[in-house]
C-alpha cells in the first residue's frame, strides 16, 4: 500500500501523475488537454465534486450549504432528533426520512421504554410523513442500501457508519442536530473538503474478504490523519474485480479512518445490484473526468492483502493474522500496554491466558450488522463451515443477517441450515453486538467479530463492576475458519475451501407487508405516542457575557471515543430521556464526573433563579474574590458558571449527539482539546451550545479541579475572535493563557450565543411570527 505525499492527477481513470514540477507537461503528453491544468480546475473532475456541486445551495464551492436527498436514523437517535425538531417548529418531513429500529431492539432492557420509543417513531412517521422499519427487519444501513441509495444522491444519517459510496451515493453520518437542520429546511454547512483518491488494482486472494481490505486501509491512515474529514474516492481497475457486497464491506468501514464520506466509481456490477433490488432507474454511472486532481492518493494492490485482525482496542491496531500467530507473545504484551492507557488500570487485563499449545484461543465469534451481515459474507462463512462443528467448548458463533430479505435468501439457498448444523446460531437483524447490547462474552472473554468497532467496553463489559472483555475485528471468512478450528485463530486462506458464490435474489415482500411507508404524505391529525421515559429537553441558557468554568474531568488518552464520553450498550435505552441518560456520562471513564458536574451546575441554576451562586457553591467565594482583583465589574447579570472537560483528542467513533448533549444537560459550557477527532463531534458540541476550545499540544496550564475564568466570551464569539483570553484561577490569584475557537460559521456562532440549536430555531420562529 502506498500513500502519496503530494496531490495526484488521475488521467483517464488509470494513470497517476504526482503533483510536482513537470506534472503539467506529463499530463499534456498523455492527453489532448491544451488548456492549463491546475489542481483547482482538475479537482472539479472528481466524482465527489460533481455530487457536492449538485447539492450545494450556497453559490460557492468553497463554503458549501448542502441539502440532502434523504435522511435515516435508528431508534437510539430518532426520538431526540424529532423532539428537537418539534421544539423548533417541525410540521412535516420535507424529504424522505427512514426511522429504523435496529439498536434498541431488546425490549426486555429497561422495561417498556424501548418499545415505547418504537411506537413514538411509528406515530411520528405517520404524523410527519416518514418511513418506519420495525425491529428485527433490517439494520439501518442495509435497509438504506436496499431501498434508499441512488446514484449521484446524498443521504444524511444519524449514525457514523452512514456510508453508501459503493452504490454511488455520497452519504454522511452526523449528530442528530444536523438532521434537525435538514428537517427544518436548513443546510449542512462545511468548507469544501479535500478528496483523497483510493486507487485499487489487482484481485483479492481467495479467502480474503472486505474486512481484510478495510482493516489494512485503516491501519495505514488512521494514526497519521491522512484522510481525516476528507472524502475517500475509490477509483482504479481493481474495483471491477470486486462484487457489490465486497465493495460495500470496505466502504462501510471507511468511517473508522475518520474520513467525512466516501464515493466509488460505478459499473455494470452496481447496475446489477439496483436491478436485483427492483430499482434499475436508481443506477447512475459515475467516473472521474479525463484529468482529475486528488489532494492525496492511497494506492492498493488488492492481491497483496492478507487476512487481517484488529486487536483491542481500536480498528487501527492491525496485524496480519499470520503476523499475530508468529509473534503472539510480543503482540499480546503490546495489547496489555495499550490496555493500561485505555482502561486506566481499572481492571487486570491480559490475553496471554488465551494462548493454548502455542495458539490463540478465542471465546466467541460474531458475524453481524452493517459490516458483516451481508449475504456474500454469510454464504462464504457457510461454505467454510460446511460439515464442520464449532465444538462443545467455550467457543460460540452467532450470525446476524443484516436484513430479513437476506435471512430469507439464506434459508432458501441452504446456507442457514449449513451454519446452524455446525452449532452456530442465526439471529435476527440487530446492531447490538456492534455497540455492546448483545452477545456479551464472559469476564476476560475474547471475541472476534466482523462488525465495525472494537473500542474499550464495546462488547458490553463494565469496568466499574470489575468486568472486562475485549474484541478483535476480523473478516467473516477468517471467523468461520476459526470456528471450523473450534476457536483457535485461523486465517481463511489457510483452508482449502470451494466458495459457491451463490447468486442473490432480493425479495421485498417482507418490507411491503411490514414496513410503514407514508409515501411522503403527512397526517397532521395523528397523535404522537409518548412513553413515560420520553422527556423534553431541559431549558438551556444563552451564552453569558463572562464564564467561570470548573475543570471536572481530565483525560490524557491519545484518543477519547464517544463510547467513553457516553457509554453504549444498555444505556441506549435511556436516550429518549436527556436527564436520565446524562447520569451515565463518562461513567466508564471517569465515574466521578457526573457528581462533580452537577455540583457546579447548582451555581448556574441559582443564577437562573435570581439567587446568589456563592451561597450554593462555597468554593466560588475564593474564585470570585480572585477574579474581582482584575475584573471587579463581573457578577450579577453578566456571569455564567459551568463545567468543562479536557481531553487530548475527543470524539472518535459514533455520531451520537448525546456525547455532547449529556455534558450540556449537566451544565457543561465547553470542551478543551488539543484536537477534535471528528468533525461530527465538534459539530455536536456547537449544536448544543458548547464552546469547542482548542489549546496547543504541550500546553496545559490547568488540571482537574481547577477553575477557569473567560471574560468577554460573548463578545469574543460575536466579534469572530479566534484567540480567546482565559485565566487560571488558583491559590487566590489569576494567571493568563490563551484558548482558540477555530473556524465557526455565522450560524454556528449564533447557535453558541443562543445556547443551543433548539433556542436558535425557537427564537427564529418567534421573530418570524
Amino acid at each position: 500500500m502506498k500513500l502519496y505525499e503530494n496531490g495526484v492527477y488521475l488521467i483517464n481513470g488509470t494513470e497517476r501523475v504526482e503533483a510536482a514540477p513537470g506534472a503539467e507537461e506529463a499530463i499534456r503528453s498523455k492527453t489532448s488537454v491544451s488548456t492549463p491544468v491546475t489542481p483547482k480546475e482538475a479537482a472539479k473532475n472528481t466524482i465527489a465534486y460533481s455530487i457536492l456541486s449538485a447539492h450545494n445551495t450556497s453559490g460557492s464551492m468553497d463554503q458549501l450549504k448542502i441539502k440532502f436527498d434523504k435522511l435515516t436514523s435508528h431508534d437510539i437517535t430518532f426520538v431526540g432528533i424529532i423532539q428537537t425538531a418539534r421544539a423548533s417548529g417541525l410540521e412535516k418531513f420535507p424529504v424522505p426520512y427512514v426511522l429504523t429500529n435496529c439498536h434498541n431492539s431488546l425490549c426486555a432492557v429497561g422495561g417498556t421504554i424501548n418499545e415505547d420509543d418504537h411506537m413514538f417513531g411509528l406515530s411520528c412517521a405517520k404524523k410527519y410523513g416518514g418511513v418506519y422499519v420495525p425491529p428485527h427487519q433490517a439494520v439501518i444501513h442495509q435497509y438504506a442500501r436496499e431501498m434508499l441509495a441512488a446514484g449521484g444522491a446524498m443521504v444524511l444519517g444519524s449514525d457514523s457508519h452512514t456510508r453508501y459510496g459503493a452504490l454511488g451515493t455520497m452519504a454522511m453520518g452526523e449528530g442528530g442536530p444536523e438532521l434537525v437542520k435538514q428537517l427544518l429546511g436548513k443546510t449542512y454547512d462545511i468548507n469544501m473538503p479535500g478528496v483523497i483518491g483510493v486507487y485499487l488494482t489487482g484481485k483479492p486472494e481467495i479467502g480474503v474478504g472486505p474486512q481484510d481490505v478495510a482493516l489494512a486501509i485503516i491501519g495505514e491512515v488512521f494514526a497519521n490523519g491522512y484522510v481525516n474529514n476528507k472524502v475517500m474516492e475509490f477509483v482504479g481497475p481493481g474495483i471491477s474485480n470486486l462484487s457489490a457486497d465486497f465493495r460495500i464491506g470496505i466502504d462501510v468501514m471507511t468511517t473508522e479512518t475518520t474520513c467525512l464520506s466516501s464515493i466509488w466509481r460505478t459499473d455494470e456490477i452496481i447496475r446489477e445490484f439496483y436491478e436485483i433490488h427492483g430499482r434499475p432507474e436508481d443506477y447512475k454511472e459515475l467516473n472521474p473526468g479525463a484529468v482529475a486532481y486528488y489532494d492525496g492518493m492511497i494506492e492498493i494492490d488488492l492481491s497483496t492483502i492478507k487476512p487481517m485482525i484488529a486487536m483491542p482496542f481500536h480498528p487501527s491496531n492491525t496485524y496480519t493474522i499470520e503476523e499475530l500467530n508468529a509473534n503472539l507473545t510480543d503482540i499480546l504484551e503490546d495489547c496489555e500496554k495499550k490496555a493500561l492507557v485505555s482502561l486506566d488500570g481499572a481492571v487486570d487485563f491480559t490475553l496471554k491466558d488465551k494462548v493454548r499449545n502455542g495458539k490463540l484461543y478465542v471465546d466467541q465469534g460474531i458475524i453481524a450488522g452493517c459490516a458483516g451481515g451481508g449475504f456474500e459474507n454469510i454464504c462464504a462463512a457457510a461454505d467454510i463451515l460446511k460439515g464442520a462443528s464449532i465444538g462443545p467448548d467455550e467457543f460460540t458463533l452467532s450470525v446476524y443477517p443484516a436484513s430479513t430479505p437476506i435471512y430469507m435468501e439464506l434459508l432458501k439457498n441452504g446456507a442457514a441450515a449449513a451454519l446452524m448444523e455446525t452449532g452456530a446460531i442465526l439471529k435476527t437483524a440487530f446492531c447490538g453486538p456492534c455497540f455492546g447490547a448483545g452477545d456479551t462474552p464472559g469476564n476476560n472473554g475474547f471475541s472476534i467479530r466482523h462488525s465495525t468497532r472494537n473500542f474499550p467496553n464495546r462488547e458490553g463489559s463494565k469496568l466499574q463492576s470489575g468486568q472486562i472483555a475485549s474484541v478483535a475485528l476480523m473478516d467473516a471468512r477468517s471467523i468461520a475458519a476459526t470456528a471450523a478450528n473450534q476457536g483457535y485463530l485461523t486465517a481463511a486462506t489457510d483452508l482449502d475451501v470451494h466458495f459457491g458464490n451463490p447468486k442473490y435474489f432480493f425479495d421485498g415482500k417482507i418490507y411491503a407487508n411490514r414496513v410503514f411507508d407514508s409515501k411522503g404524505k403527512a397526517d397532521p391529525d395523528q397523535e404522537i405516542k409518548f412513553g413515560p421515559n420520553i422527556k423534553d429537553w431541559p431549558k438551556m441558557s444563552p451564552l453569558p457575557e463572562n464564564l467561570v468554568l470548573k475543570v471536572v474531568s481530565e483525560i490524557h488518552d491519545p484518543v477519547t471515543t464517544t463510547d467513553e464520553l457516553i457509554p453504549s450498550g444498555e444505556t441506549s435505552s435511556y436516550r429518549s430521556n436527556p436527564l436520565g441518560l446524562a447520569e451515565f456520562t463518562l461513567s466508564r471513564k471517569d465515574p466521578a464526573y457526573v457528581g462533580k458536574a452537577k455540583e457546579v451546575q447548582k451555581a448556574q441554576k441559582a443564577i437562573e433563579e435570581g439567587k446568589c451562586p456563592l451561597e450554593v457553591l462555597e468554593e466560588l467565594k475564593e474564585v470570585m474574590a480572585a477574579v474581582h482583583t482584575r475584573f471587579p465589574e463581573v457578577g450579577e447579570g453578566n456571569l455564567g458558571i459551568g463545567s468543562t472537560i479536557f481531553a487530548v483528542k475527543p470524539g472518535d467513533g459514533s455520531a451520537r449527539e448525546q456525547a455532547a448533549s449529556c455534558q450540556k444537560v449537566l451544565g457543561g459550557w465547553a470542551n478543551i482539546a488539543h484536537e477534535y477527532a471528528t468533525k461530527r463531534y465538534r459539530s455536536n458540541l456547537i449544536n448544543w451550545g458548547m464552546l469547542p476550545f482548542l489549546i496547543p499540544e504541550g500546553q496545559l496550564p490547568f488540571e482537574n479541579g481547577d477553575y477557569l475564568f473567560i471574560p468577554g466570551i460573548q463578545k469574543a464569539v460575536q466579534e469572530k475572535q479566534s484567540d480567546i483570553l482565559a485565566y487560571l484561577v488558583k491559590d487566590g490569584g489569576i494567571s493568563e493563557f490563551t484558548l482558540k475557537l477555530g473556524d465557526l460559521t455565522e450560524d454556528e456562532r449564533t447557535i453558541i450565543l443562543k445556547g443551543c440549536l433548539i433556542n436558535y430555531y425557537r427564537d427564529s420562529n418567534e421573530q418570524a411570527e
Side-chain angles (χ1 to χ4, degrees):
M1 191 176 303
K2 175 182 178 180
L3 274 60
Y4 284 77
E5 294 183 7
N6 302 304
V8 175
Y9 293 95
L10 181 66
I11 303 169
N12 296 324
T14 57
E15 296 190 63
R16 286 86 65 214
V17 176
E18 192 164 8
E24 187 172 333
E25 292 179 11
I27 292 170
R28 289 180 188 280
S29 69
K30 298 173 185 292
T31 68
S32 58
V33 173
S34 57
T35 57
V37 177
T38 65
K40 186 172 183 179
E41 286 301 310
K44 296 178 182 179
N45 290 326
T46 63
I47 304 170
Y49 186 98
S50 66
I51 294 176
L52 289 169
S53 177
H55 291 80
N56 179 38
T57 64
S58 72
S60 166
M61 285 301 289
D62 294 323
Q63 287 85 40
L64 306 177
K65 289 183 175 292
I66 300 296
K67 285 202 170 184
F68 288 83
D69 300 297
K70 300 169 186 177
L71 309 175
T72 186
S73 294
H74 51 63
D75 46 351
I76 280 180
T77 56
F78 67 59
V79 176
I81 290 168
I82 295 172
Q83 284 287 73
T84 303
R86 288 180 65 246
S88 305
L90 176 69
E91 294 182 355
K92 182 184 184 297
F93 295 156
V95 295
Y97 186 19
V98 174
L99 311 178
T100 64
N101 295 272
C102 51
H103 279 59
N104 284 347
S105 303
L106 298 180
C107 296
V109 179
T112 70
I113 59 182
N114 285 351
E115 185 64 7
D116 290 343
D117 287 355
H118 300 160
M119 291 303 97
F120 173 92
L122 177 57
S123 63
C124 287
K126 293 177 179 178
K127 184 176 184 68
Y128 299 116
V131 177
Y132 172 87
V133 183
H136 305 288
Q137 293 299 326
V139 302
I140 176 174
H141 303 308
Q142 186 61 27
Y143 185 85
R145 295 163 188 154
E146 293 168 350
M147 306 298 288
L148 283 188
M154 291 191 73
V155 174
L156 183 66
S158 55
D159 183 273
S160 57
H161 291 98
T162 307
R163 292 282 190 270
Y164 317 128
L167 302 176
T169 303
M170 188 177 287
M172 299 178 186
E174 281 286 353
E178 292 300 330
L179 275 81
V180 172
K181 292 176 184 177
Q182 296 290 313
L183 291 175
L184 298 175
K186 310 300 181 182
T187 56
Y188 177 75
D189 301 346
I190 53 169
N191 293 332
M192 178 67 191
V195 182
I196 302 294
V198 185
Y199 189 83
L200 302 181
T201 62
K203 182 178 181 179
E205 183 182 356
I206 293 174
V208 169
Q211 188 81 326
D212 297 317
V213 178
L215 293 178
I217 295 171
I218 295 163
E220 288 291 330
V221 305
F222 174 79
N224 58 25
Y226 192 77
V227 299
N228 183 238
N229 291 328
K230 297 180 173 67
V231 177
M232 295 176 73
E233 182 161 312
F234 288 76
V235 293
I239 289 176
S240 296
N241 295 325
L242 304 178
S243 68
D245 262 16
F246 203 112
R247 300 179 203 185
I248 286 167
I250 299 171
D251 187 58
V252 70
M253 291 297 292
T254 59
T255 295
E256 304 312 319
T257 67
T258 72
C259 75
L260 178 71
S261 187
S262 64
I263 194 68
W264 294 55
R265 74 169 181 84
T266 59
D267 55 17
E268 291 303 306
I269 292 173
I270 301 304
R271 182 194 296 276
E272 183 184 34
F273 176 93
Y274 282 107
E275 290 172 349
I276 288 170
H277 289 83
R279 300 190 291 122
E281 70 281 1
D282 286 331
Y283 171 74
K284 182 177 181 180
E285 184 176 350
L286 299 174
N287 285 297
V291 180
Y293 177 81
Y294 296 93
D295 298 283
M297 184 165 282
I298 306 164
E299 202 169 284
I300 305 168
D301 180 353
L302 293 166
S303 67
T304 65
I305 302 297
K306 301 296 183 183
M308 302 289 294
I309 184 169
M311 294 295 284
F313 291 96
H314 198 275
S316 64
N317 188 19
T318 54
Y319 304 90
T320 65
I321 294 177
E322 180 183 22
E323 180 185 8
L324 175 63
N325 283 333
N327 301 278
L328 260 181
T329 300
D330 291 345
I331 292 174
L332 295 183
E333 285 181 354
D334 184 65
C335 286
E336 290 179 7
K337 292 176 184 177
K338 287 182 168 66
L340 289 174
V341 175
S342 298
L343 307 178
D344 292 327
V347 293
D348 292 330
F349 174 81
T350 184
L351 290 175
K352 290 179 183 174
D353 60 351
K354 302 298 178 187
V355 179
R356 302 181 183 179
N357 301 318
K359 298 179 180 180
L360 186 63
Y361 182 82
V362 301
D363 301 289
Q364 182 191 73
I366 303 286
I367 301 170
C370 59
F375 175 76
E376 194 173 277
N377 291 328
I378 297 174
C379 287
D383 285 337
I384 290 169
L385 279 162
K386 192 170 185 179
S389 164
I390 70 170
D393 214 333
E394 295 104 325
F395 181 80
T396 62
L397 176 63
S398 295
V399 179
Y400 294 75
S403 71
T404 303
I406 290 175
Y407 203 143
M408 290 170 64
E409 188 60 22
L410 294 170
L411 292 171
K412 292 175 182 176
N413 73 8
L419 285 167
M420 293 173 71
E421 71 180 11
T422 71
I425 302 297
L426 260 69
K427 302 184 179 181
T428 54
F430 177 41
C431 297
C434 191
F435 71 96
D439 276 308
T440 300
N443 190 47
N444 294 316
F446 182 46
S447 178
I448 52 173
R449 300 185 176 184
H450 191 160
S451 60
T452 56
R453 291 200 172 116
N454 61 337
F455 296 161
N457 314 313
R458 192 76 179 184
E459 76 306 309
S461 58
K462 295 182 178 180
L463 299 184
Q464 69 271 31
S465 301
Q467 302 169 21
I468 179 63
S470 55
V471 168
L473 300 182
M474 287 169 48
D475 189 82
R477 292 150 189 79
S478 291
I479 293 173
T482 301
N485 210 5
Q486 299 194 350
Y488 288 96
L489 189 70
T490 306
T493 51
D494 290 347
L495 303 182
D496 184 14
V497 178
H498 171 71
F499 291 99
N501 300 315
K503 185 175 177 61
Y504 179 59
F505 298 92
F506 174 76
D507 186 345
K509 292 190 188 74
I510 187 68
Y511 291 158
N513 289 334
R514 189 71 188 96
V515 170
F516 172 79
D517 186 352
S518 70
K519 308 295 184 184
K521 185 177 180 180
D523 179 6
D525 296 328
Q526 169 69 41
E527 295 242 350
I528 297 176
K529 294 185 178 181
F530 290 93
N533 185 62
I534 299 175
K535 306 294 185 183
D536 290 330
W537 293 102
K539 181 181 178 183
M540 298 181 196
S541 300
L543 185 68
E545 292 180 43
N546 309 286
L547 263 181
V548 167
L549 299 175
K550 184 176 183 180
V551 182
V552 292
S553 188
E554 186 178 352
I555 304 171
H556 288 277
D557 292 5
V559 178
T560 302
T561 69
T562 46
D563 284 66
E564 292 168 309
L565 293 165
I566 184 64
S568 57
E570 81 280 9
T571 59
S572 301
S573 296
Y574 297 92
R575 293 224 168 102
S576 304
N577 182 342
L579 293 172
L581 181 63
E583 295 291 329
F584 296 97
T585 312
L586 279 170
S587 60
R588 296 181 191 170
K589 192 68 182 172
D590 184 356
Y593 166 80
V594 171
K596 291 179 179 178
K598 290 169 81 170
E599 190 67 20
V600 178
Q601 190 180 31
K602 292 178 182 177
Q604 178 64 29
K605 287 183 175 179
I607 291 173
E608 293 167 359
E609 294 169 1
K611 300 175 183 177
C612 177
L614 279 60
E615 294 178 1
V616 298
L617 192 58
E618 183 74 19
E619 62 192 22
L620 273 175
K621 292 179 180 178
E622 183 179 344
V623 172
M624 292 311 298
V627 168
H628 285 150
T629 62
R630 291 278 299 274
F631 300 91
E633 73 284 1
V634 172
E636 185 177 350
N638 63 19
L639 180 66
I641 300 168
S643 59
T644 188
I645 69 169
F646 168 79
V648 173
K649 189 177 180 180
D652 184 28
S654 170
R656 69 178 74 105
E657 65 183 277
Q658 293 90 349
S661 66
C662 283
Q663 294 178 53
K664 180 69 177 206
V665 164
L666 294 171
W669 276 112
N671 274 196
I672 304 174
H674 291 322
E675 179 185 355
Y676 291 98
T678 57
K679 174 204 169 293
R680 55 183 173 267
Y681 178 68
R682 183 175 182 270
S683 294
N684 284 337
L685 291 173
I686 293 166
N687 285 324
W688 286 104
M690 298 179 71
L691 295 150
F693 285 134
L694 292 164
I695 194 165
E697 189 173 351
Q699 295 183 27
L700 199 63
F702 54 82
E703 59 186 8
N704 198 13
D706 285 345
Y707 274 93
L708 312 178
F709 174 60
I710 307 174
I713 182 60
Q714 186 184 89
K715 183 179 180 182
V717 174
Q718 289 171 335
E719 296 181 352
K720 305 180 183 179
Q721 295 177 25
S722 58
D723 290 356
I724 307 298
L725 189 64
Y727 293 86
L728 169 64
V729 185
K730 196 167 186 174
D731 299 329
I734 62 174
S735 55
E736 181 180 313
F737 67 99
T738 301
L739 294 167
K740 292 185 177 293
L741 261 182
D743 293 335
L744 294 169
T745 66
E746 285 300 317
D747 281 349
E748 287 175 336
R749 291 181 186 279
T750 307
I751 290 166
I752 290 173
L753 290 167
K754 295 289 186 182
C756 66
L757 188 69
I758 295 173
N759 293 355
Y760 171 69
Y761 284 129
R762 182 185 292 127
D763 292 351
S764 298
N765 292 339
E766 288 175 357
Q767 290 172 8
E769 292 172 1

